[in-house]
Amino acid sequence: MSKLLIVESPTKARTIGKMLGKDYDIFASMGHIRDLPERDLGVDIANHFAPQYVDTARSKSVVKELKSAAKKADEIYLAPDPDREGEAIAWHLAEVLNKSTKAPFYRVTFHEITRSAIERAMQEKGEINLNLVDAQQARRVLDRIVGYQVSPLLWSRIEKGSSAGRVQSAALRLVVERERAINAFVPEEYWVFSVVFRTESGEEFTSRLFKINGKDFKVPNAEAAEQLIRAIQGGSAPAVASVTTAERKRYAQAPFTTSTLQQAANVSLHYSATNTMRYAQQLYEGMDIGEGGAVGLITYMRTDSVTIAREAQQAAAEFIRRTYGDAYVPAKFNYYKNKAAAQEAHEAIRPTDVRRTPEQMAAYLDPQQLKLYTLIWRRFVASQMTPAVVNLTTVDVGVDGSDGNGYTFRTTATVPVFPGHSKVYEDVAKRKDETQEAAVLGSLRERDPLELRKFDKEQKFTEPPPRYTEASLIKELEENGIGRPSTYATILRTIQDRNYVNREQGKLIPSELGFSVNDFLVERLPALFDIGFTAQMEKELDEIEEGKVGWTQMMEDFYSKFAPWVEDAKNSDAPPAADAEALLKLLENVTFEAPGKVGRRTYDDGKFFRSLKEKFDEDAKITAKQFQALLIMTAKYYSQIPPEAVAGLSAELREAVGAAVADHAERKEKRERSEAVCAAVDYAGLFAAFDKVTFEPPTKKGRFTYDDKKFFTSLKKQALSGKALSEKQTAALRRMAMKYHGELTDAALVDRILEVQAAPAGEGGETAAPAAPAAPNPEVTRLLEELGKVTEWAEPVKKGRFTYDDKVFYESLAKQHASGKILSERQQAALIKMAGKYGVK
């Protein structure tokens, strides 16, 4: 019997293939084989929000291969990941392959890629969960509608290419509001006090002022601090008010969920959420650890459950007993409470075999994978261990002040009694050793007299709320019910990739664009991007998954609110109807110019005016953008409009028309100057001089790709079409000419044209004499030549994420200088510093 099993990734296919053997043909779908179209809405809103699925960019060859395999199969097993997204992939596969085969389809799911888990999944084969599929479709359609209908508002008001997302915009709002709270924060002064007390036996301990008259207090300034000190020093002799010693148990944390793993990895390993999920995916899908093939090392990494399988608990107990002793094994297994919405059928993230210790895996994993595996392994093992036990000793010391107030000082000391789970997940050696201080405190008795040996005061100021890190933002999103395990990493990556948020030293800081986008969305669509509303939508998606709500009904309810919100947002800055009507009347008797073609577009003023008037006659509305177009048209045909008609406008509208007329005149003058420059400058000769230049291949720096040839071609197309280059473009072309100077066919012509074009015009319009190009600094040249004689460079030094290599830095400066580029002041300062380091004077 021929059996076909389909998973998502080639790595998973290879891992499972070696476990199931030759009875199965195993293929990878490479993720989704169908999705909504990239450039269209792809949702038929009028037809119950029916999605219009198309093949994904890379799926055609994959689908062809899968159809061929399906024709030969007697049984088809669909085994994408065990979540909404995986269920949707399985459904799409069945939909696409169904016509190519008569074989039955079975859905199989597993939360770890081990032989036993795979074999059990094959025996427990079932059907596709359509509730999960509906929940995924609802999220996809919901996000598509929000993105496609809200993003155009941003393009016209904020920046072309900017976009809105239902969930990521809520995350951006949290970051922006936190930054605003930081900026608005006003620090308040306060003072804290610590004293050193000496016992009758001569031992000393430090204590802090805890209460005044049994209540919390605040000392606001230096004068009040001095008064307090005088009152205590002039009061009664200090004496022990109470001594308490209590045993405390510290219980282990639950094993990791997706969000807690991302938070812990960010804090302790400095991994981004994206990198954490990348390494976790690798550990889940399978690593070759010398056991005759790859094996999954952790359970599925997208989960909000803290449930642990009983057999995993039993294995952990046996390992803990054998490794650490009976005292570290609890009498009953440790269980942890899931949140209300958690999927209890899933497991927490844990090692698939607790016996595979990080030390054993070190030979098979790269450093990043090993660090994450170690974190997961330790957290899981600790979660199945006994509590840590500590003794907490607290001593309160009382002083009756000369001002009639009672002052209480408090000291606490914690002494480990039994490490319990902290032997695995916490580094006991890094804890402060309070044993000695606890012994001193424990020797004290109530009413023991003490001597006040030292009194210190310290000025402090209240601090603003901290900026979000990826870890704290994920925690905030989770606490607010925004996003789900599969989306946290995507949310954080999206707001950073779109340049709405920058990450600096681990902190998330909104950019100017981020502020603008957030402020626009919150102002125009406050209900849509309300944190509570976003969380409610997540709950409704969960209810679809649970079969409580139909997804199309949920979309109907949402869209009935959403459509009016968007319409209001479009019209929120619309001009008064009276102003629009007044401008339309001004242009009624104008003779419009004949249609004209600019590039591939045809502009027809008359047609535009008639369509706009027809629309206004219907509903008495035009948009702000259309109103602006009317103002521009009024300025263009101003000479045909009777002065008395303009005089009859409101004062505000007359001012707007006047500004438009002035702007039109300025643009016309600028266009005429540009045409004059184009006529005067030999652009054809200038660009022809580059014909034999071999441009460097494109280079990627950070998020940007620099392509000299592509940039040059765009400048050439612009200039030869009759549009003069701007000052900025000319400067860029000048730098390019310096870079490729030796390959120009007529370098003198290029230099002369660029110098003339860059020269400012005189008062009478005549061109001023061209400025001489910046000459290389002879001192820089000398230092570079001297450093070029160095034969022994210092070894590279790694500081944090950066490696400092003198030789590499020198070579980059020398190359830049040789190409004719001028070193910046910062580079020259670094060069002088390096020269001193190597004895060059």
Side-chain angles (χ1 to χ4, degrees):
M1 181 179 285
S2 175
K3 299 178 181 180
L4 171 64
L5 185 139
I6 306 173
V7 295
E8 287 166 288
S9 76
T11 301
K12 192 192 291 188
R14 288 192 294 270
T15 302
I16 294 174
K18 293 180 180 178
M19 295 176 181
L20 290 180
K22 298 180 180 179
D23 292 339
Y24 292 83
D25 292 321
I26 302 177
F27 286 81
S29 71
M30 308 301 290
H32 279 278
I33 59 169
R34 295 195 307 181
D35 198 1
L36 298 177
E38 286 187 15
R39 300 185 181 279
D40 299 310
L41 176 62
V43 178
D44 188 348
I45 294 174
N47 186 25
H48 303 294
F49 301 90
Q52 311 297 307
Y53 292 117
V54 298
D55 293 339
T56 59
R58 60 182 180 181
S59 70
K60 290 186 179 179
S61 60
V62 173
V63 169
K64 183 178 179 181
E65 191 176 24
L66 289 175
K67 283 182 176 179
S68 177
K71 287 179 182 177
K72 306 171 189 174
D74 297 308
E75 294 180 345
I76 300 175
Y77 296 85
L78 306 173
D81 288 341
D83 56 15
R84 288 178 191 168
E85 211 68 32
E87 208 72 20
I89 291 173
W91 179 76
H92 283 294
L93 285 167
E95 289 285 299
V96 170
L97 300 180
N98 190 45
K99 295 178 183 179
S100 301
T101 181
K102 294 182 179 180
F105 290 87
Y106 301 107
R107 175 71 167 122
V108 293
T109 59
F110 36 82
H111 299 276
E112 58 184 80
I113 304 179
T114 58
R115 189 177 299 277
S116 60
I118 300 300
E119 291 174 351
R120 184 165 58 250
M122 302 305 289
Q123 292 170 2
E124 298 173 354
K125 60 191 179 186
E127 297 180 349
I128 293 171
N129 185 331
L130 292 178
N131 288 338
L132 283 176
V133 176
D134 286 348
Q136 190 275 343
Q137 286 196 116
R139 177 184 289 279
R140 190 76 183 94
V141 170
L142 183 63
D143 290 345
R144 173 56 65 96
I145 288 174
V146 171
Y148 263 63
Q149 295 199 15
V150 175
S151 294
L153 297 176
L154 289 172
W155 302 344
S156 61
R157 303 328 195 266
I158 305 298
E159 182 177 293
K160 192 74 175 175
S162 54
S163 59
R166 181 181 61 86
V167 179
Q168 52 263 34
S169 294
L172 172 63
R173 181 173 186 172
L174 290 172
V175 177
V176 167
E177 288 180 350
R178 175 61 59 88
E179 191 69 18
R180 288 238 163 89
I182 292 170
N183 293 337
F185 182 80
V186 178
E188 292 184 17
E189 180 184 5
Y190 69 100
W191 291 72
V192 296
F193 306 87
S194 63
V195 298
V196 176
F197 291 120
R198 177 180 287 180
T199 68
E200 287 185 310
S201 60
E203 294 175 307
E204 294 184 346
F205 64 94
T206 302
S207 190
R208 278 185 170 269
L209 183 57
F210 177 57
K211 300 278 187 181
I212 299 178
N213 296 325
K215 298 178 181 178
D216 293 336
F217 66 94
K218 182 178 180 182
V219 178
N221 52 52
E223 181 181 353
E226 288 296 335
Q227 290 175 357
L228 184 147
I229 292 174
R230 287 196 296 271
I232 292 174
Q233 290 176 334
S236 65
V240 176
S242 65
V243 180
T244 59
T245 299
E247 184 178 275
R248 295 282 188 270
K249 289 184 178 180
R250 291 177 173 169
Y251 293 90
Q253 295 172 286
F256 284 127
T257 61
T258 303
S259 67
T260 55
L261 175 62
Q262 290 171 343
Q263 291 169 50
N266 184 250
V267 171
S268 61
L269 305 179
H270 307 295
Y271 287 178
S272 68
T274 299
N275 284 340
T276 296
M277 296 309 288
R278 180 185 298 119
Y279 303 140
Q281 182 92 28
Q282 294 163 359
L283 295 172
Y284 165 71
E285 291 193 339
M287 310 296 297
D288 189 346
I289 57 172
E291 295 182 3
V295 62
L297 295 183
I298 64 170
T299 52
Y300 190 53
M301 64 285 161
R302 294 186 181 92
T303 177
D304 54 4
S305 172
V306 290
T307 301
I308 294 294
R310 189 169 183 82
E311 55 266 32
Q313 290 180 309
Q314 291 170 339
E318 292 172 10
F319 175 84
I320 294 164
R321 182 177 290 109
R322 186 174 65 253
T323 307
Y324 303 107
D326 288 339
Y328 291 86
V329 181
K332 296 180 180 179
F333 291 140
N334 293 339
Y335 290 94
Y336 299 89
K337 188 176 181 180
N338 277 310
K339 294 183 177 180
Q343 298 173 308
E344 298 206 16
H346 288 194
E347 275 199 74
I349 303 170
R350 62 167 176 84
T352 55
D353 188 339
V354 71
R355 294 170 297 180
R356 296 190 183 108
T357 65
E359 292 75 19
Q360 292 174 338
M361 296 299 100
Y364 307 105
L365 306 179
D366 68 30
Q368 290 76 24
Q369 294 167 342
L370 180 61
K371 287 177 183 177
L372 191 65
Y373 180 75
T374 302
L375 193 67
I376 294 168
W377 186 92
R378 287 182 175 173
R379 177 79 164 235
F380 168 68
V381 173
S383 76
Q384 301 305 304
M385 295 175 75
T386 51
V389 180
V390 299
N391 276 340
L392 181 67
T393 300
T394 302
V395 170
D396 284 353
V397 175
V399 175
D400 292 328
S402 60
D403 57 357
N405 292 321
Y407 296 89
T408 302
F409 294 84
R410 173 165 288 184
T411 305
T412 60
T414 303
V415 177
V417 175
F418 177 70
H421 65 84
S422 63
K423 193 174 185 68
V424 174
Y425 193 62
E426 295 179 5
D427 189 353
V428 179
K430 290 184 179 178
R431 287 186 186 154
K432 179 184 176 184
D433 186 4
E434 298 178 337
T435 304
Q436 185 176 355
E437 190 168 46
V440 174
L441 299 181
S443 68
L444 296 172
R445 297 293 179 267
E446 193 174 327
R447 291 191 293 276
D448 278 357
L450 300 169
E451 179 186 354
L452 198 161
R453 295 289 296 168
K454 187 179 179 182
F455 204 142
D456 287 330
K457 65 180 187 297
E458 182 182 359
Q459 181 189 36
K460 288 183 173 288
F461 291 91
T462 53
E463 295 184 354
R467 286 191 172 107
Y468 284 114
T469 62
E470 285 204 353
S472 60
L473 182 56
I474 289 170
K475 185 177 181 180
E476 186 80 10
L477 291 170
E478 186 177 36
E479 289 178 350
N480 280 283
I482 298 172
R484 287 298 181 261
S486 60
T487 63
Y488 295 131
T490 303
I491 292 168
L492 268 67
R493 184 174 66 247
T494 299
I495 61 177
Q496 292 176 71
D497 286 350
R498 289 179 179 170
N499 294 322
Y500 297 162
V501 171
N502 299 315
R503 187 171 59 181
E504 297 179 13
Q505 297 181 332
K507 307 295 184 182
L508 299 178
I509 304 173
S511 64
E512 287 301 317
L513 177 60
F515 276 115
S516 299
V517 167
N518 174 78
D519 293 350
F520 176 84
L521 294 176
V522 171
E523 179 188 350
R524 301 294 178 89
L525 294 158
L528 179 62
F529 295 108
D530 176 73
I531 302 300
F533 180 78
T534 305
Q536 179 59 34
M537 297 306 297
E538 295 288 357
K539 287 181 182 178
E540 292 184 20
L541 290 170
D542 289 343
E543 288 175 351
I544 294 171
E545 182 174 324
E546 295 162 11
K548 296 178 180 178
V549 179
W551 83 270
T552 55
Q553 182 59 51
M554 176 264 195
M555 286 301 307
E556 293 281 2
D557 293 343
F558 165 77
Y559 200 75
S560 67
K561 297 188 285 283
F562 173 74
W565 291 344
V566 173
E567 191 62 29
D568 289 345
K570 287 179 180 177
N571 298 323
S572 60
D573 57 356
D579 285 354
E581 185 177 16
L583 285 188
L584 287 168
K585 283 186 177 179
L586 286 184
L587 294 166
E588 276 182 339
N589 299 315
V590 162
T591 302
F592 294 106
E593 292 179 358
K597 194 164 185 177
V598 179
R600 289 179 294 175
R601 299 186 65 177
T602 299
Y603 292 87
D604 188 333
D605 291 347
K607 184 178 180 180
F608 174 74
F609 173 78
R610 288 188 294 274
S611 67
L612 199 57
K613 188 173 186 307
E614 184 178 333
K615 180 181 180 302
F616 182 80
D617 290 342
E618 284 180 9
D619 55 19
K621 290 180 182 178
I622 65 170
T623 67
K625 193 172 182 180
Q626 290 169 332
F627 185 74
Q628 190 61 35
L630 272 181
L631 279 173
I632 293 171
M633 194 177 288
T634 301
K636 183 176 180 180
Y637 297 101
Y638 191 72
S639 60
Q640 297 185 41
I641 299 173
E644 59 272 17
V646 177
L649 302 176
S650 67
E652 188 176 349
L653 189 55
R654 279 201 311 274
E655 184 178 343
V657 169
V661 170
D663 183 63
H664 178 72
E666 185 180 341
R667 287 174 180 272
K668 183 179 179 182
E669 183 183 352
K670 188 175 181 180
R671 185 170 62 253
E672 289 172 350
R673 282 202 309 267
S674 177
E675 291 169 354
V677 169
C678 286
V681 174
D682 181 12
Y683 275 131
L686 168 67
F687 287 101
F690 284 80
D691 283 348
K692 295 188 178 180
V693 167
T694 302
F695 292 102
E696 291 182 356
T699 57
K700 190 170 179 64
K701 294 182 180 179
R703 294 179 293 103
F704 301 102
T705 298
Y706 296 87
D707 189 331
D708 286 355
K709 185 175 181 180
K710 185 176 180 181
F711 180 62
F712 173 82
T713 303
S714 69
L715 295 182
K716 180 179 179 180
K717 183 178 179 181
Q718 174 184 325
L720 297 185
S721 70
K723 187 176 179 182
L725 302 183
S726 67
E727 291 180 14
K728 194 172 181 180
Q729 289 173 319
T730 303
L733 187 58
R734 187 183 301 108
R735 289 194 296 271
M736 192 175 288
M738 292 174 67
K739 183 176 181 179
Y740 298 104
H741 208 264
E743 299 180 55
L744 300 176
T745 57
D746 193 342
L749 173 66
V750 172
D751 292 342
R752 188 165 62 253
I753 292 174
L754 291 177
E755 286 170 9
V756 168
Q757 192 182 10
E763 289 184 7
E766 71 279 4
T767 303
N777 187 331
E779 180 62 13
V780 169
T781 303
R782 185 186 71 79
L783 291 177
L784 287 171
E785 289 176 352
E786 292 296 323
L787 282 170
K789 301 173 185 177
V790 173
T791 55
E792 293 186 12
W793 294 92
E795 288 293 321
V797 177
K798 188 171 179 63
K799 294 181 180 179
R801 295 182 293 110
F802 301 102
T803 299
Y804 296 88
D805 189 324
D806 288 352
K807 184 179 180 183
V808 170
F809 180 59
Y810 160 75
E811 290 173 348
S812 70
L813 295 182
K815 182 179 179 182
Q816 179 178 332
H817 184 71
S819 69
K821 296 179 181 177
I822 305 300
L823 302 190
S824 68
E825 291 182 6
R826 193 170 178 181
Q827 288 174 317
Q828 292 184 36
L831 177 63
I832 293 169
K833 185 176 180 181
M834 183 189 291
K837 179 177 178 180
Y838 290 94
V840 177
K841 298 181 180 178

